Amino acid sequence: MPQINVGKILTLLKEHNLLVTSDLSANLGADFTQVTYDSRQVTEQTLFFCKGNFKVEFLESAQAKGAQAYVSEQRYETNLPAIIVTNIQQAMAVLGAAFYDFPQNKLNIIAYTGTKGKTTAAYFTNSIMQQRFTGQTALFSTINTVVGNKMDDTFKSSLTTPESLDLFKNMDRAVNNEMQQLVMEVSSQAYKKDRVYNLKYDIGVFLNISPDHLGKNEHPTFADYLHCKEQLLVNSKVCVINAETQHLRDIYGAAKATSQPEDIYLFARKGAEITDNIPVDVEFEAISDTLTDNVISVSAVSEKAKQLNLTGQYELSLPGDFNEVDATAAIITSALSGLSQDDIRMGLQSTVVPGRMETYETNNHGTVYVDYAHNYASFHSLLGYLKSQAPNGRIIVVTGSTGDKGEDRRYGIGKAIGESADVALLTVDDPGTEDPAEIARTIADNIQNTAVKHEYVADRKTAVEQAIKMSTPDDLVVIAGKGHDPYQKINNQDVPYESDSVIVKQFVKGM
């Protein structure tokens, strides 16, 4: 059973310059057998963390359930002993890792960051790793968390990168289930909120960056967003970078700050213009790219890349040129991890990403695609690609945008719709405390193309069905944003929702 004593807690906090004062200095041998920030999870001998939008009632509840002490940035009126720290989020990360006996050191960790593509790249990599490490590869993604092979070892993720205590708990569970590999996504918020403070990765991948997650509840500026993204490279032993990303000079500089040049690999599409002529190690190009067939050719350019034995052709299970970048990243990370070309080919061919480019054929209407696209970068790539594949048909889109965060997404979604869509049904998508009609109005105001027909449909299920019914056989219908999500966030409540995938599947079946 995991545990941690007071002496170790105070030593770690001092080492990280986090300790202000402690009421437990005279009792260094006392043990805690539970650590949590959720009062509902408190048991006897719990060390309770007061974080975020904290209310004193949470601490009172924790004490009533048996909490023995609390960690906080301030004191509360209670007789429960306190450990006061300068940064509660960093303290959680440091103590969480120690409580679970540093499970990250027992896993080979491949981590992805990027404005778009993290999930697809992670699933590509996981599928490849499973070819050699069958039943020994954990996955922490935006969609699902996989910590083992039993049914209850796979569960829906609540955050792309969870709170540190949950993150290390999941890692510990994976280690106990004899996992050897971990493929994970790391969000910018994970660094902004110190969820991954002091965590190191064996391989860190920077896919791309474009404006996103900017707003009052996320990143105040793009510079802050970029800085947080770059921290993944700063904390990685080996770095892999998409050289076609914006701000490459800054990103490459961040990698060089802590990694030697021989441990940094850059890749790009063949013929791409690269900032400052920074040399590329791996190139790729499309051999075939249709809705039913996607094959790329990958070539090692530098001597260190040639040692990875990755030059060759690879067939991808997902269509779209935007998936080729993610697949190339997965090829490089897998080769760096010692997997063979046969392993990589089998993995790429068999990858399934829930809610990503899911395809549904209809008898007398258009082909329907369900995808999680939710910002300009992903919409621009998805709709642009589909438009190129449908010369005789329309692109019909059903989408909305989230409330209470990422306000810039609404402008970007509208812009992308104006560039490549013909019809847009704007509807609800996790509006939070905001009015979904106002969110839709902002999207509509940014559709800078009068030829695009658009309307607001308040009920999402109705919008999905209406879009499919209005389509003709040559049309492509895109249901974007929700994928497999079984609920909608409305007024701080998780309201049950069938999910886009289920609604489309059932409606198409009944047509």
Short mmCIF file of all heavy atoms in Angstrom, two decimals, residues 86-127:
data_model
loop_
_atom_site.label_atom_id
_atom_site.label_comp_id
_atom_site.label_asym_id
_atom_site.label_seq_id
_atom_site.Cartn_x
_atom_site.Cartn_y
_atom_site.Cartn_z
N THR A 86 4.31 27.35 -0.58
CA THR A 86 4.26 28.52 -1.46
C THR A 86 3.43 28.26 -2.71
O THR A 86 2.87 29.19 -3.30
CB THR A 86 5.67 28.92 -1.89
OG1 THR A 86 6.31 27.80 -2.52
CG2 THR A 86 6.50 29.37 -0.68
N ASN A 87 3.35 27.00 -3.14
CA ASN A 87 2.63 26.66 -4.36
C ASN A 87 1.97 25.29 -4.18
O ASN A 87 2.65 24.26 -4.16
CB ASN A 87 3.60 26.63 -5.56
CG ASN A 87 2.89 26.43 -6.89
OD1 ASN A 87 2.06 25.55 -7.04
ND2 ASN A 87 3.23 27.26 -7.86
N ILE A 88 0.67 25.28 -4.04
CA ILE A 88 -0.04 24.04 -3.73
C ILE A 88 0.02 23.04 -4.89
O ILE A 88 0.15 21.84 -4.68
CB ILE A 88 -1.51 24.33 -3.34
CG1 ILE A 88 -2.21 23.05 -2.86
CG2 ILE A 88 -2.27 24.97 -4.48
CD1 ILE A 88 -1.63 22.46 -1.61
N GLN A 89 -0.04 23.54 -6.13
CA GLN A 89 -0.02 22.63 -7.28
C GLN A 89 1.34 21.94 -7.39
O GLN A 89 1.41 20.74 -7.65
CB GLN A 89 -0.32 23.39 -8.57
CG GLN A 89 -1.74 23.95 -8.66
CD GLN A 89 -2.77 22.90 -9.01
OE1 GLN A 89 -3.97 23.09 -8.81
NE2 GLN A 89 -2.34 21.78 -9.54
N GLN A 90 2.43 22.69 -7.18
CA GLN A 90 3.74 22.07 -7.24
C GLN A 90 3.94 21.10 -6.07
O GLN A 90 4.54 20.03 -6.24
CB GLN A 90 4.82 23.15 -7.21
CG GLN A 90 4.86 23.98 -8.49
CD GLN A 90 5.96 25.04 -8.46
OE1 GLN A 90 6.77 25.10 -7.54
NE2 GLN A 90 5.99 25.87 -9.49
N ALA A 91 3.42 21.45 -4.92
CA ALA A 91 3.52 20.56 -3.76
C ALA A 91 2.77 19.25 -4.02
O ALA A 91 3.26 18.17 -3.67
CB ALA A 91 2.96 21.25 -2.52
N MET A 92 1.61 19.33 -4.64
CA MET A 92 0.86 18.12 -4.98
C MET A 92 1.67 17.22 -5.91
O MET A 92 1.71 16.00 -5.73
CB MET A 92 -0.47 18.49 -5.65
CG MET A 92 -1.56 18.95 -4.70
SD MET A 92 -3.03 19.55 -5.57
CE MET A 92 -3.41 18.20 -6.66
N ALA A 93 2.32 17.82 -6.90
CA ALA A 93 3.08 17.03 -7.87
C ALA A 93 4.27 16.35 -7.20
O ALA A 93 4.52 15.16 -7.42
CB ALA A 93 3.55 17.93 -9.01
N VAL A 94 4.99 17.09 -6.40
CA VAL A 94 6.17 16.54 -5.73
C VAL A 94 5.77 15.41 -4.77
O VAL A 94 6.37 14.33 -4.77
CB VAL A 94 6.92 17.65 -4.96
CG1 VAL A 94 7.97 17.06 -4.04
CG2 VAL A 94 7.56 18.62 -5.95
N LEU A 95 4.77 15.67 -3.95
CA LEU A 95 4.37 14.68 -2.95
C LEU A 95 3.60 13.52 -3.56
O LEU A 95 3.68 12.38 -3.08
CB LEU A 95 3.57 15.35 -1.84
CG LEU A 95 4.31 16.46 -1.07
CD1 LEU A 95 3.43 17.03 0.03
CD2 LEU A 95 5.63 15.94 -0.51
N GLY A 96 2.84 13.79 -4.61
CA GLY A 96 2.13 12.72 -5.29
C GLY A 96 3.08 11.70 -5.90
O GLY A 96 2.88 10.49 -5.77
N ALA A 97 4.13 12.18 -6.55
CA ALA A 97 5.13 11.28 -7.12
C ALA A 97 5.78 10.43 -6.04
O ALA A 97 5.96 9.22 -6.20
CB ALA A 97 6.17 12.08 -7.88
N ALA A 98 6.12 11.07 -4.92
CA ALA A 98 6.78 10.34 -3.83
C ALA A 98 5.83 9.35 -3.17
O ALA A 98 6.23 8.23 -2.81
CB ALA A 98 7.30 11.33 -2.80
N PHE A 99 4.57 9.74 -2.98
CA PHE A 99 3.59 8.86 -2.33
C PHE A 99 3.46 7.55 -3.10
O PHE A 99 3.37 6.47 -2.50
CB PHE A 99 2.24 9.57 -2.23
CG PHE A 99 1.15 8.73 -1.62
CD1 PHE A 99 1.08 8.56 -0.25
CD2 PHE A 99 0.19 8.11 -2.42
CE1 PHE A 99 0.08 7.78 0.32
CE2 PHE A 99 -0.80 7.33 -1.86
CZ PHE A 99 -0.87 7.17 -0.47
N TYR A 100 3.46 7.65 -4.43
CA TYR A 100 3.32 6.44 -5.26
C TYR A 100 4.67 5.85 -5.67
O TYR A 100 4.75 5.05 -6.60
CB TYR A 100 2.46 6.76 -6.49
CG TYR A 100 1.01 7.00 -6.14
CD1 TYR A 100 0.48 8.29 -6.16
CD2 TYR A 100 0.18 5.96 -5.75
CE1 TYR A 100 -0.85 8.54 -5.82
CE2 TYR A 100 -1.15 6.18 -5.41
CZ TYR A 100 -1.66 7.48 -5.44
OH TYR A 100 -2.97 7.70 -5.09
N ASP A 101 5.74 6.27 -4.95
CA ASP A 101 7.09 5.71 -5.14
C ASP A 101 7.60 5.94 -6.56
O ASP A 101 8.15 5.04 -7.19
CB ASP A 101 7.10 4.22 -4.80
CG ASP A 101 8.53 3.67 -4.67
OD1 ASP A 101 9.44 4.46 -4.36
OD2 ASP A 101 8.72 2.46 -4.90
N PHE A 102 7.38 7.13 -7.06
CA PHE A 102 7.95 7.56 -8.34
C PHE A 102 7.70 6.57 -9.48
O PHE A 102 8.63 6.04 -10.09
CB PHE A 102 9.45 7.83 -8.18
CG PHE A 102 9.76 8.80 -7.06
CD1 PHE A 102 10.19 8.33 -5.82
CD2 PHE A 102 9.57 10.16 -7.23
CE1 PHE A 102 10.46 9.21 -4.78
CE2 PHE A 102 9.83 11.06 -6.19
CZ PHE A 102 10.27 10.59 -4.96
N PRO A 103 6.43 6.31 -9.80
CA PRO A 103 6.12 5.30 -10.84
C PRO A 103 6.63 5.70 -12.21
O PRO A 103 6.85 4.83 -13.08
CB PRO A 103 4.59 5.24 -10.80
CG PRO A 103 4.17 6.58 -10.26
CD PRO A 103 5.22 6.93 -9.25
N GLN A 104 6.84 7.00 -12.46
CA GLN A 104 7.33 7.44 -13.76
C GLN A 104 8.70 6.87 -14.08
O GLN A 104 9.06 6.71 -15.26
CB GLN A 104 7.37 8.98 -13.81
CG GLN A 104 8.41 9.65 -12.93
CD GLN A 104 7.90 9.96 -11.54
OE1 GLN A 104 7.05 9.24 -10.99
NE2 GLN A 104 8.38 11.05 -10.95
N ASN A 105 9.46 6.55 -13.04
CA ASN A 105 10.80 5.99 -13.26
C ASN A 105 10.76 4.53 -13.67
O ASN A 105 11.80 3.96 -14.05
CB ASN A 105 11.64 6.14 -11.99
CG ASN A 105 11.87 7.60 -11.61
OD1 ASN A 105 11.81 8.49 -12.46
ND2 ASN A 105 12.13 7.85 -10.34
N LYS A 106 9.60 3.92 -13.61
CA LYS A 106 9.45 2.51 -13.95
C LYS A 106 8.78 2.31 -15.31
O LYS A 106 8.44 1.20 -15.69
CB LYS A 106 8.65 1.80 -12.86
CG LYS A 106 9.26 1.97 -11.46
CD LYS A 106 8.29 1.65 -10.37
CE LYS A 106 8.85 2.05 -9.00
NZ LYS A 106 7.87 1.90 -7.92
N LEU A 107 8.61 3.42 -16.03
CA LEU A 107 7.94 3.39 -17.33
C LEU A 107 8.79 4.11 -18.37
O LEU A 107 9.44 5.12 -18.05
CB LEU A 107 6.57 4.08 -17.26
CG LEU A 107 5.51 3.43 -16.36
CD1 LEU A 107 4.41 4.44 -16.05
CD2 LEU A 107 4.92 2.20 -17.04
N ASN A 108 8.76 3.63 -19.60
CA ASN A 108 9.32 4.38 -20.73
C ASN A 108 8.22 5.30 -21.22
O ASN A 108 7.18 4.83 -21.70
CB ASN A 108 9.77 3.44 -21.85
CG ASN A 108 10.31 4.20 -23.05
OD1 ASN A 108 11.29 4.92 -22.94
ND2 ASN A 108 9.66 4.04 -24.20
N ILE A 109 8.40 6.61 -21.08
CA ILE A 109 7.32 7.56 -21.34
C ILE A 109 7.56 8.33 -22.63
O ILE A 109 8.58 8.99 -22.80
CB ILE A 109 7.15 8.56 -20.18
CG1 ILE A 109 6.93 7.81 -18.86
CG2 ILE A 109 5.97 9.48 -20.45
CD1 ILE A 109 6.78 8.72 -17.65
N ILE A 110 6.59 8.24 -23.54
CA ILE A 110 6.57 9.03 -24.77
C ILE A 110 5.43 10.04 -24.62
O ILE A 110 4.28 9.66 -24.42
CB ILE A 110 6.33 8.15 -26.01
CG1 ILE A 110 7.44 7.10 -26.14
CG2 ILE A 110 6.26 9.00 -27.27
CD1 ILE A 110 7.20 6.07 -27.23
N ALA A 111 5.76 11.33 -24.71
CA ALA A 111 4.78 12.37 -24.45
C ALA A 111 4.62 13.28 -25.66
O ALA A 111 5.60 13.65 -26.31
CB ALA A 111 5.19 13.19 -23.24
N TYR A 112 3.37 13.64 -25.95
CA TYR A 112 3.05 14.50 -27.09
C TYR A 112 2.41 15.80 -26.64
O TYR A 112 1.54 15.80 -25.76
CB TYR A 112 2.07 13.79 -28.03
CG TYR A 112 2.68 12.69 -28.84
CD1 TYR A 112 2.65 11.37 -28.40
CD2 TYR A 112 3.31 12.95 -30.06
CE1 TYR A 112 3.22 10.35 -29.16
CE2 TYR A 112 3.89 11.93 -30.82
CZ TYR A 112 3.83 10.64 -30.36
OH TYR A 112 4.39 9.63 -31.11
N THR A 113 2.80 16.90 -27.29
CA THR A 113 2.08 18.15 -27.13
C THR A 113 1.90 18.78 -28.50
O THR A 113 2.61 18.46 -29.45
CB THR A 113 2.80 19.12 -26.16
OG1 THR A 113 1.89 20.11 -25.71
CG2 THR A 113 3.99 19.80 -26.83
N GLY A 114 0.94 19.70 -28.60
CA GLY A 114 0.64 20.36 -29.87
C GLY A 114 -0.77 20.90 -29.84
O GLY A 114 -1.62 20.41 -29.09
N THR A 115 -1.03 21.92 -30.63
CA THR A 115 -2.37 22.47 -30.70
C THR A 115 -3.34 21.46 -31.29
O THR A 115 -4.50 21.36 -30.89
CB THR A 115 -2.39 23.76 -31.54
OG1 THR A 115 -1.50 24.72 -30.94
CG2 THR A 115 -3.78 24.37 -31.61
N LYS A 116 -2.88 20.71 -32.26
CA LYS A 116 -3.70 19.65 -32.84
C LYS A 116 -2.84 18.40 -33.03
O LYS A 116 -1.61 18.48 -33.10
CB LYS A 116 -4.30 20.09 -34.18
CG LYS A 116 -3.24 20.37 -35.25
CD LYS A 116 -3.86 20.66 -36.60
CE LYS A 116 -2.78 20.88 -37.66
NZ LYS A 116 -3.33 21.04 -39.02
N GLY A 117 -3.50 17.26 -33.07
CA GLY A 117 -2.81 16.03 -33.41
C GLY A 117 -2.32 15.18 -32.26
O GLY A 117 -1.88 14.05 -32.47
N LYS A 118 -2.38 15.71 -31.03
CA LYS A 118 -1.85 14.94 -29.88
C LYS A 118 -2.51 13.58 -29.77
O LYS A 118 -1.85 12.56 -29.58
CB LYS A 118 -2.08 15.72 -28.57
CG LYS A 118 -1.33 17.01 -28.44
CD LYS A 118 -1.48 17.60 -27.05
CE LYS A 118 -2.90 17.95 -26.65
NZ LYS A 118 -3.49 19.01 -27.49
N THR A 119 -3.83 13.58 -29.83
CA THR A 119 -4.57 12.33 -29.62
C THR A 119 -4.28 11.32 -30.73
O THR A 119 -4.02 10.14 -30.46
CB THR A 119 -6.07 12.61 -29.53
OG1 THR A 119 -6.33 13.51 -28.45
CG2 THR A 119 -6.85 11.33 -29.31
N THR A 120 -4.33 11.78 -31.98
CA THR A 120 -4.07 10.87 -33.09
C THR A 120 -2.66 10.31 -33.02
O THR A 120 -2.44 9.10 -33.19
CB THR A 120 -4.28 11.60 -34.43
OG1 THR A 120 -5.63 12.09 -34.49
CG2 THR A 120 -4.05 10.66 -35.60
N ALA A 121 -1.68 11.17 -32.74
CA ALA A 121 -0.29 10.70 -32.64
C ALA A 121 -0.14 9.71 -31.50
O ALA A 121 0.57 8.70 -31.61
CB ALA A 121 0.64 11.89 -32.44
N ALA A 122 -0.81 9.98 -30.38
CA ALA A 122 -0.73 9.07 -29.23
C ALA A 122 -1.34 7.71 -29.57
O ALA A 122 -0.78 6.66 -29.21
CB ALA A 122 -1.44 9.69 -28.02
N TYR A 123 -2.47 7.71 -30.27
CA TYR A 123 -3.11 6.44 -30.63
C TYR A 123 -2.28 5.68 -31.68
O TYR A 123 -2.17 4.45 -31.62
CB TYR A 123 -4.54 6.67 -31.13
CG TYR A 123 -5.55 6.62 -30.01
CD1 TYR A 123 -5.81 7.72 -29.22
CD2 TYR A 123 -6.24 5.44 -29.74
CE1 TYR A 123 -6.73 7.67 -28.18
CE2 TYR A 123 -7.17 5.37 -28.71
CZ TYR A 123 -7.41 6.49 -27.93
OH TYR A 123 -8.32 6.42 -26.89
N PHE A 124 -1.70 6.40 -32.64
CA PHE A 124 -0.79 5.74 -33.58
C PHE A 124 0.34 5.05 -32.82
O PHE A 124 0.66 3.87 -33.06
CB PHE A 124 -0.18 6.77 -34.54
CG PHE A 124 -0.99 7.05 -35.78
CD1 PHE A 124 -1.12 8.35 -36.25
CD2 PHE A 124 -1.59 6.03 -36.49
CE1 PHE A 124 -1.85 8.63 -37.40
CE2 PHE A 124 -2.32 6.29 -37.65
CZ PHE A 124 -2.46 7.60 -38.11
N THR A 125 0.95 5.80 -31.90
CA THR A 125 2.10 5.26 -31.16
C THR A 125 1.69 4.10 -30.28
O THR A 125 2.40 3.07 -30.21
CB THR A 125 2.73 6.37 -30.29
OG1 THR A 125 3.00 7.51 -31.11
CG2 THR A 125 4.02 5.89 -29.64
N ASN A 126 0.57 4.23 -29.60
CA ASN A 126 0.09 3.14 -28.74
C ASN A 126 -0.15 1.87 -29.56
O ASN A 126 0.22 0.77 -29.13
CB ASN A 126 -1.20 3.57 -28.05
CG ASN A 126 -1.81 2.46 -27.21
OD1 ASN A 126 -1.23 2.03 -26.22
ND2 ASN A 126 -2.97 1.99 -27.62
N SER A 127 -0.76 2.03 -30.73
CA SER A 127 -1.03 0.86 -31.57
C SER A 127 0.27 0.19 -32.02
O SER A 127 0.37 -1.04 -32.06
CB SER A 127 -1.85 1.29 -32.80
OG SER A 127 -2.15 0.19 -33.62
#
